[in-house]
Amino acid sequence: MARPHENHREDVAGRANVEDTPELLAYYADLDRFGAGALWTVANKIEPWEPQSSSVPMLWRWTELREPVLRSVDLVTPEKAGRRVIYLRNPGRDDVAAAVGWIYSGLQVMNPGEAASAHRHSASAIRFILEGAGAYTVVDGHKMTLGRNDFVLTPNGTWHEHAVAAEGSPCIWQDCLDIPFVNAMEANFYEVHPDLTQAVGYAVDDMTKTWGNAGLTPSGGDWAKGYSPMFKYEWAPTYDALQRYAGCTDGSPFDGVMMEYVNPTTNGPVMRTLGASMQMLRPGEHTKAHRHTGSYLYTVAKGSGHSIINGKRFDWSERDIFCVPSWAWHEHVNGSATEDACLFCLSDLPVMRALGLYREQAFGENGGHQPIK
Amino acid sequence: MARPHENHREDVAGRANVEDTPELLAYYADLDRFGAGALWTVANKIEPWEPQSSSVPMLWRWTELREPVLRSVDLVTPEKAGRRVIYLRNPGRDDVAAAVGWIYSGLQVMNPGEAASAHRHSASAIRFILEGAGAYTVVDGHKMTLGRNDFVLTPNGTWHEHAVAAEGSPCIWQDCLDIPFVNAMEANFYEVHPDLTQAVGYAVDDMTKTWGNAGLTPSGGDWAKGYSPMFKYEWAPTYDALQRYAGCTDGSPFDGVMMEYVNPTTNGPVMRTLGASMQMLRPGEHTKAHRHTGSYLYTVAKGSGHSIINGKRFDWSERDIFCVPSWAWHEHVNGSATEDACLFCLSDLPVMRALGLYREQAFGENGGHQPIK
Amino acid sequence: MARPHENHREDVAGRANVEDTPELLAYYADLDRFGAGALWTVANKIEPWEPQSSSVPMLWRWTELREPVLRSVDLVTPEKAGRRVIYLRNPGRDDVAAAVGWIYSGLQVMNPGEAASAHRHSASAIRFILEGAGAYTVVDGHKMTLGRNDFVLTPNGTWHEHAVAAEGSPCIWQDCLDIPFVNAMEANFYEVHPDLTQAVGYAVDDMTKTWGNAGLTPSGGDWAKGYSPMFKYEWAPTYDALQRYAGCTDGSPFDGVMMEYVNPTTNGPVMRTLGASMQMLRPGEHTKAHRHTGSYLYTVAKGSGHSIINGKRFDWSERDIFCVPSWAWHEHVNGSATEDACLFCLSDLPVMRALGLYREQAFGENGGHQPIK
Amino acid sequence: MARPHENHREDVAGRANVEDTPELLAYYADLDRFGAGALWTVANKIEPWEPQSSSVPMLWRWTELREPVLRSVDLVTPEKAGRRVIYLRNPGRDDVAAAVGWIYSGLQVMNPGEAASAHRHSASAIRFILEGAGAYTVVDGHKMTLGRNDFVLTPNGTWHEHAVAAEGSPCIWQDCLDIPFVNAMEANFYEVHPDLTQAVGYAVDDMTKTWGNAGLTPSGGDWAKGYSPMFKYEWAPTYDALQRYAGCTDGSPFDGVMMEYVNPTTNGPVMRTLGASMQMLRPGEHTKAHRHTGSYLYTVAKGSGHSIINGKRFDWSERDIFCVPSWAWHEHVNGSATEDACLFCLSDLPVMRALGLYREQAFGENGGHQPIK
């Protein structure tokens, strides 16, 4: 169990500051033999003054990624690949295959008439449609048709499979999962569906029709699972809601007009481990900078502009994806003076909130705007 | 404290069955002097085998009521009347001014340009629009425009006032309140607004725009009051929701396609003491009979048909109002073979459920249909 | 449906103030025919400025009641009486057999070796032991032994029966039930146990041993019913808790050192419709007056003193019972300069809180003390 | 961002099984340039069939650790060390300083009259007393005296400091924290108290006296924080509770008589991220094997015996500490035929449950017992 000796000292009252002496080094070697160590040698390292993220702010350009993603169709079959997905890599998180923090994201592509096999796992997914017509997903026997900027949930433990109707066009899903997190929690199980495909047991889009009615719930309806019964969230009513809400709110100085997607039976997050929101930056809007704990992955649903993350500028257009690591300063700018811009944001905020780990801070200087490095 | 002697005997094991003797009568007189009595003389009365409602099933016809309601405009001013309301009386509940059970209901009429003064009370109200254009209600500074078959909440403790825009037409609200219940609970407070009118402090219909978006909640929004922040529930999206839901459900054998109005932040009832639902009877639908605890007041929102309540038939058309007392058998029939019919139902179901007093029973004989008396 | 004409006028802006005219009287007669009435004739009556309780403050003396209660043993058998109970009457609530508000209370007496038959009903009970040794109650197969100042729950829908062990002494339970309330809600069902007696299926006092451990819950234990799994609350740990708590609190100016009995799985009330508390008045303590909504029934568990209720003084000693109606001013005085006094209080506070009807007010004048009438 | 190429293939329907070809290798290099990768090369690795823990089952012997822990008193001052703690190391988790999973644990020692400085952090702690008299901890101004087998909470964000009274003896706390987890979540903040020490603002042990009363809650008491107000959990009432509970339960086949420590205001875990339980193995008891997700750290509070973890036997005596990693089979044996044995268990079960990641499985073969390797 021996490892190279570390000693992280700080000359601050209340922090560890013990110098190495021959006597102590002998003592440390002793502890090592019993499967122990002296906290004061590592305390300052494991108790930082504030969070240090290992993720790097990143932007993945649609113009760069789209072509190779579509090319994968010619290179592998869904049967051999399991799922035909190109995943996003973050240099700081390559060891856990995460795009940011503990969140995995990949672009799944399917041709008309193709279908992936059904499986389930403890990881939960939000799948956002980037492109194409005719996509559908089946979750525990419920079939959902999917269009651009819609997303579908495939929660922890639910059977799911994806396909594109024969009369559709090639479709690209952005899959976002908590695979790295569930692996880190050592709680991931995986199962292939015994028939490789599910029987559809309900009217198409039944869950949306049943649960997606503002201020109304099915009489006698009962839902106590840890995720939303709505399964699908559509772009059209979302954009409509943002416009309605914009008519009676000043919005957030940091996020513009922002709404969170919720489980209609709880008004809480759509799943326990992943949440999502859509925010509208009004024409010309430049938000103020703030930072908060949690890991965030943005997809540009509409418009173009740029974000400044920890002092670095990232320009984005529709379909681009970028990430904001935990405790990174960030602010957003809509590049158009006439059109609004919409950002879809996927995060582990439900985890941070459920566990009491969410914290937020406004950027106090320079009128709330970061200097650009 | 002396009162006429009662003795309710039943010859069933486990029930009281004590005959009056001179010795016991003397004893009862003794108890009387100490502010006490012998339970066994009244036990069978106060512990019935099943609920005995004092309300009578009733139907109030729109064709009969509308004219006198409108006539009140000429007879009293809102200033003198406080509110210009004709209330519904139930012969069994005249002592508490209830239409059924502990629920009060009245028809409030106002002419274009008229306004009632603002007040608040511990009683909660659901106000359903029966007729007219230009009605609006202001609740705690939020102004809601109201159309036919919409309803508005004025919850316990909120300032509220009603009016009709100058360019509108005479409007009739059906006010439903828990006044009798709150009186029975000895918890009713009443206050006139110091200015007799509220200042409107928000964009018109802001609460609907903010909270009335299926599966979306305002980011940073916070609502922990004991009633819905939505305040207004509109007919158009309700009817649309019923049709969507009808596309993927068989409905209830007793109620057809039924949805409950809910507080979007809890998926629970719109207020703690009063709930509401809308049910659609499909063309030709004849539901089966059942009964349950709680008191129910129906308003015919669309179509015509009849209901059988405790074996008696009540024919209804649009705008009619009828009641189903606690534990009364009831079934509904849509009289049209081509059009659907919609019933708005107001009840104290939230109280029954919150206190564990809800119980339900299907009518088991005759194919589920009551013989008509 | 015709009834004598009423007209409750008040000359206050925002209140009804319409004088009777021949035209209006004719109009009222018209409305009468359609099952309707003019709200403005009764509005001021049904919407009082503040609650008007129909209950009268009362005190039932143990020295007066004990003898007749014990005498009932010789007068009726449990078999004939159902239960051998002398109930407390309030002149203002005789119509519903309530001691105060919607709360029934009676003194049940049983001799050693006697047992009452098992039944269940929708009404919920708290049963407080006033006197005797060897009492026990069986609830849904769980047997609880009961001593002085202990109480036992027999919640809505649970089978229950009471008895005294052969080696015990005559025992008196103070039964407190929400019978009047459940009747008012038209939700009362009653059932005699098919065998007239239950089989005991668990170790004696198992629920207390399982759930009555501060800060500990049985692993794998699951309890989601609307009432406490603890069933029995004992005097010894209650008194101990009051003393511990008194060591670190100033107490309430209105209630001294007061603790509420709770369902350990929710920290909420022991049942949905009835709650209980125990309060300790320290030697010489004279609390300040306040009033609140809800109906309250006190039993003197320890000591002696007096309470002032709506300006009237009621002197009490151990085992006396008295009531405080809704919105009645009240303050308590411990008559001893050396001993503490303890008041057990039973109420419908859980209903008032669950439905948002609880309101409280301190007596602002005269140093917080009522003038005595 | 280039890294060595991986390709994890499985020949199972529904799993990735794509062979490397020159064309694909060129494609992978392409993806690499855009910050992307092909999921099918790593899918089987990041989606295991069941959890793979990186923690090793370990036992730390009290007889080995006690001496070096006490020796640290002579080697470093609390001032220099920050806290004088020897922490437990797990070979599989050395990179994050965890004893098991994401849980840190260390033994903190203090001499009579010594005090550590006050600080706070986002990590939460449970501190279990292994040895000594006179220990106390101050949390947000509340002082708790601590004896052997008691534990104290210092939740996320609370100021805390530890000390030993001058008249006490050297004391050893076992500190258990979620530091590694909160670091992994990138949410750890650290702050030294401005005065280095807190003022005590309440009666000693006030929170225990206020909240530690079974079935009773302080009237008017209000607590909505994400952790228990009880702060301290004592051994004596715990052991008493286990004995009471043992009198009416068969216990769990896997864990004997087990109770979970709970927040009395919710009946949920004592904190959001760490939970604790105490289990009693009756004389001679040998439990059956099972496994579940989550990481577990046991401290032997009483008695001796052994546990079999993933087929390996670990013998334990009082004060020993051992761990069970996620999804590891385990069973426990009380080595005494006459005395009970008690195991204190600290875990991240609240996280697993809150996030829907808890899963459990019984060992089905061999009568429920693992073969020993």
Side-chain angles (χ1 to χ4, degrees), chain B residues 313-346:
Chain B
R313 174 173 170 151
F314 293 84
D315 285 89
W316 40 256
S317 307
E318 261 182 49
R319 315 286 98 191
D320 285 351
I321 299 168
F322 63 95
C323 72
V324 173
S326 188
W327 209 235
W329 295 113
H330 57 286
E331 61 196 280
H332 307 297
V333 182
N334 180 352
S336 166
T338 53
E339 298 294 312
D340 54 53
C342 294
L343 299 174
F344 174 75
C345 183
L346 178 296

Side-chain angles (χ1 to χ4, degrees), chain C residues 41-361:
Chain C
T41 62
V42 297
N44 296 339
K45 181 179 78 166
I46 67 175
E47 298 188 320
W49 294 95
E50 67 180 30
Q52 310 295 329
S53 181
S54 62
S55 297
V56 176
M58 294 276 289
L59 185 143
W60 294 269
R61 291 191 194 291
W62 182 239
T63 52
E64 286 181 359
L65 274 182
R66 185 175 177 274
E67 186 277 331
V69 165
L70 289 173
R71 184 145 50 104
S72 71
V73 173
D74 304 322
L75 293 169
V76 294
T77 63
E79 287 72 29
K80 284 208 159 176
R83 283 134 301 153
R84 200 159 47 203
V85 179
I86 303 310
Y87 73 103
L88 307 182
R89 293 168 52 198
N90 190 304
R93 303 296 286 164
D94 233 10
D95 52 337
V96 295
V100 63
W102 296 103
I103 300 171
Y104 158 96
S105 188
L107 307 186
Q108 178 156 197
V109 63
M110 229 169 276
N111 257 3
E114 280 188 342
S117 59
H119 63 192
R120 65 176 178 185
H121 39 61
S122 307
S124 297
I126 285 180
R127 304 175 193 270
F128 187 83
I129 307 304
L130 291 173
E131 177 175 302
Y136 65 90
T137 290
V138 184
V139 182
D140 278 353
H142 299 271
K143 178 176 173 178
M144 263 82 59
T145 58
L146 297 163
R148 197 167 177 273
N149 283 351
D150 293 350
F151 69 89
V152 62
L153 312 178
T154 66
N156 175 347
T158 56
W159 294 112
H160 55 279
E161 63 194 273
H162 315 290
V164 176
E167 65 278 15
S169 62
C171 291
I172 302 177
W173 282 251
Q174 183 193 356
D175 294 339
C176 302
L177 290 103
D178 57 6
I179 289 175
F181 179 69
V182 179
N183 284 343
M185 299 310 293
E186 303 181 339
N188 212 353
F189 295 85
Y190 187 93
E191 215 174 332
V192 175
H193 194 282
D195 305 328
L196 292 180
T197 187
Q198 302 168 72
V200 174
Y202 307 90
V204 171
D205 290 327
D206 71 308
M207 293 305 255
T208 308
K209 291 167 181 165
T210 302
W211 296 99
N213 302 291
L216 286 160
T217 210
S219 182
D222 206 20
W223 188 264
K225 295 184 179 172
Y227 47 86
S228 171
M230 215 164 133
F231 287 0
K232 175 170 67 160
Y233 291 78
E234 297 174 357
W235 166 245
T238 298
Y239 187 62
D240 182 51
L242 285 171
Q243 287 176 304
R244 280 157 47 99
Y245 181 38
C248 59
T249 184
D250 291 336
S252 148
F254 308 111
D255 284 306
V257 177
M258 181 154 120
M259 302 195 89
E260 293 186 35
Y261 292 99
V262 288
N263 176 341
T265 71
T266 62
N267 208 40
V270 294
M271 296 187 297
R272 281 168 171 158
T273 48
L274 291 177
S277 62
M278 186 72 82
Q279 70 200 87
M280 187 169 79
L281 303 171
R282 287 155 292 197
E285 182 157 14
H286 183 163
T287 67
K288 295 194 171 185
H290 70 157
R291 61 179 176 180
H292 36 65
T293 51
S295 298
Y296 303 83
L297 197 60
Y298 292 82
T299 305
V300 183
K302 180 170 183 291
S304 60
H306 69 271
S307 296
I308 301 159
I309 307 171
N310 274 352
K312 185 172 169 195
R313 174 172 170 152
F314 293 85
D315 285 89
W316 40 256
S317 306
E318 260 182 49
R319 313 287 99 189
D320 286 351
I321 298 168
F322 63 95
C323 71
V324 174
S326 187
W327 210 236
W329 295 112
H330 57 285
E331 60 194 281
H332 307 296
V333 182
N334 180 352
S336 165
T338 54
E339 298 294 314
D340 54 53
C342 293
L343 299 174
F344 174 76
C345 183
L346 177 297
S347 73
D348 58 4
L349 201 45
V351 174
M352 306 311 283
R353 284 179 177 154
L355 303 183
L357 297 173
Y358 184 72
R359 208 193 272 201
E360 193 176 358
Q361 188 180 35

Side-chain angles (χ1 to χ4, degrees), chain D residues 227-290:
Chain D
Y227 47 85
S228 170
M230 214 165 135
F231 287 179
K232 175 171 68 160
Y233 291 77
E234 297 174 357
W235 166 245
T238 299
Y239 187 62
D240 182 51
L242 284 171
Q243 285 176 306
R244 278 156 49 98
Y245 182 38
C248 60
T249 185
D250 291 336
S252 149
F254 308 111
D255 284 307
V257 177
M258 180 153 122
M259 303 196 87
E260 293 186 35
Y261 292 99
V262 289
N263 175 340
T265 69
T266 63
N267 208 40
V270 294
M271 297 187 297
R272 283 169 170 157
T273 48
L274 292 177
S277 63
M278 186 72 81
Q279 71 200 86
M280 187 169 78
L281 303 171
R282 288 157 292 198
E285 183 158 13
H286 183 163
T287 66
K288 294 194 172 184
H290 70 157

Side-chain angles (χ1 to χ4, degrees), chain D residues 91-141:
Chain D
R93 304 298 284 162
D94 233 11
D95 52 335
V96 295
V100 63
W102 296 102
I103 300 171
Y104 158 96
S105 188
L107 307 186
Q108 178 156 196
V109 61
M110 230 170 274
N111 257 3
E114 280 188 343
S117 59
H119 63 192
R120 65 177 177 184
H121 38 61
S122 306
S124 296
I126 285 180
R127 304 174 194 270
F128 187 84
I129 307 303
L130 292 174
E131 177 175 301
Y136 65 89
T137 291
V138 184
V139 181
D140 277 354

